[in-house]
Amino acid sequence: MQRASRLKRELSLLTTEPPPGITCWQNENQLDNLRAQILGGADTPYEKGIFSLEIVVPERYPFEPPKIRFLTPIYHPNIDSAGRICLDVLKLPPKGAWRPALNISTLLTSIQLLMAEPNPDDPLMADISSEYKYNKQLFLLNAKEWTEKYASQ
C-alpha cells in the first residue's frame, strides 16, 4: 500500500513539475510499469535526441531501486546494447548508492547527467569507453550519428 501511494505521489509530481527535459508516465495504467523520455542535453552529442526508457518498479520499492533501461539505442560508455545503465544510484549498497530517500525523478535526472558526463572509468562498453578516453572526436561523431539514426523524431 505504501508503495502505491508513494508511486502515485511521485508520478503526480513528475507530471506537474517535471525536471527539465524529462517526462514520465504510466504504461498501460500499470503503476509498476512506467515509461520516460529524456531529451538529449544541449552541447552534448545527444542534443535534439529523444530517448525512451522503461522503468520497472519492484515490489519492495522504495527499499529497492527501480530497474531502468534505455529503449532507444544510445552510443555511450555506461549504457550497453540492451539499454542497461551502469550508475551507482541504480544499485543497492554495498556496490551501489540507492537509498529509499531517492525517487524516480532523481534517478532520471542522474541518468540525464550521466548522458552529458559519461564515466569512462566504470564502463559497461569497454570499446566505447576507450574511444571516449583516447579518441573523443570519434566518440562524439559516433554518438551524434546514433542520436540522429535512433533518437530523432
Side-chain angles (χ1 to χ4, degrees):
M1 193 61 225
Q2 201 179 7
R3 169 178 173 255
S5 60
R6 170 156 169 171
L7 274 171
K8 281 196 181 98
R9 244 192 350 265
E10 284 192 37
L11 272 172
S12 147
L13 259 175
L14 275 161
T15 309
T16 55
E17 302 168 36
I22 294 173
T23 49
C24 184
W25 64 94
Q26 271 176 272
N27 189 34
E28 297 161 3
N29 285 334
Q30 297 173 309
L31 202 52
D32 55 1
N33 190 342
L34 311 175
R35 289 287 183 272
Q37 280 186 333
I38 296 180
L39 301 179
D43 305 322
T44 74
Y46 312 109
E47 190 169 8
K48 293 190 173 75
I50 298 174
F51 297 88
S52 297
L53 295 92
E54 170 189 69
I55 304 166
V56 178
V57 184
E59 220 31 72
R60 294 194 56 239
Y61 183 79
F63 304 104
E64 207 176 285
K67 290 180 180 20
I68 303 180
R69 71 183 186 95
F70 275 80
L71 297 173
T72 306
I74 180 171
Y75 194 83
H76 193 287
N78 308 106
I79 302 159
D80 73 8
S81 52
R84 292 182 302 239
I85 306 160
C86 184
L87 185 62
D88 60 352
V89 290
L90 294 175
K91 294 187 283 259
L92 283 167
K95 281 193 163 106
W98 171 257
R99 297 185 319 281
L102 297 173
N103 60 33
I104 292 167
S105 178
T106 319
L107 292 179
L108 291 170
T109 306
S110 300
I111 292 168
Q112 190 181 40
L113 196 64
L114 180 70
M115 286 169 69
E117 302 281 330
N119 177 3
D121 298 324
D122 189 17
L124 267 181
M125 304 296 280
D127 50 340
I128 298 176
S129 173
S130 59
E131 191 179 280
Y132 180 84
K133 279 174 153 171
Y134 306 113
N135 191 347
K136 198 141 182 199
Q137 283 315 106
L138 183 61
F139 164 79
L140 292 170
L141 195 74
N142 285 329
K144 205 177 214 119
E145 226 168 74
W146 275 49
T147 301
E148 284 165 14
K149 186 173 177 181
Y150 301 110
S152 299
Q153 286 306 304

